[in-house]
């Protein structure tokens, strides 16, 4: 259960789940799915680089080429 709590804390506080202003259920679902996708991308990079997920997110926040590379790797190689 602690792992689930940790994931949702990260998604809420660092990946913008609380920032959703959508009204329709479909838009809210899409926003939630993108937040989960972002978490998966960060988690995969965390495992590869052996850093904390917060370190990986900080690096992506300042280096957009790295963030793009992480997303492309996840999308084109499969999660």
């Amino acid at each position: 259960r602690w792992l689930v709590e940790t994931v949702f804390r990260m998604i809420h506080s660092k990946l913008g789940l609380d920032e959703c202003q959508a009204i329709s259920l479909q838009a809210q679902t899409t926003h939630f799915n993108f937040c989960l996708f972002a978490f998966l991308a960060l988690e995969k990079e965390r495992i590869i680089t052996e850093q904390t997920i917060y370190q990986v997110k900080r690096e992506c926040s300042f280096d957009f080429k790295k963030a793009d590379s992480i997303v492309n790797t996840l999308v084109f190689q499969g999660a």
Side-chain angles (χ1 to χ4, degrees), residues 63-78:
D63 186 355
F64 296 113
K65 287 183 180 181
K66 179 173 181 141
D68 189 49
S69 171
I70 291 169
V71 170
N72 285 334
T73 300
L74 189 65
V75 170
F76 295 116
Q77 291 182 354

Side-chain angles (χ1 to χ4, degrees), residues 24-76:
S24 73
L25 180 60
Q26 182 178 6
Q28 291 173 359
T29 302
T30 301
H31 184 84
F32 180 73
N33 288 335
F34 275 117
C35 288
L36 284 177
F37 180 82
F39 177 79
L40 289 174
L42 292 174
E43 183 66 14
K44 183 177 179 184
E45 186 68 13
R46 180 196 68 78
I47 292 168
I48 292 169
T49 62
E50 298 180 354
Q51 296 177 319
T52 68
I53 199 163
Y54 297 100
Q55 290 171 323
V56 174
K57 185 192 179 299
R58 183 181 172 131
E59 287 178 9
C60 291
S61 295
F62 293 109
D63 186 355
F64 296 113
K65 287 183 180 181
K66 179 173 181 141
D68 189 49
S69 171
I70 291 169
V71 170
N72 285 334
T73 300
L74 189 65
V75 170
F76 295 116

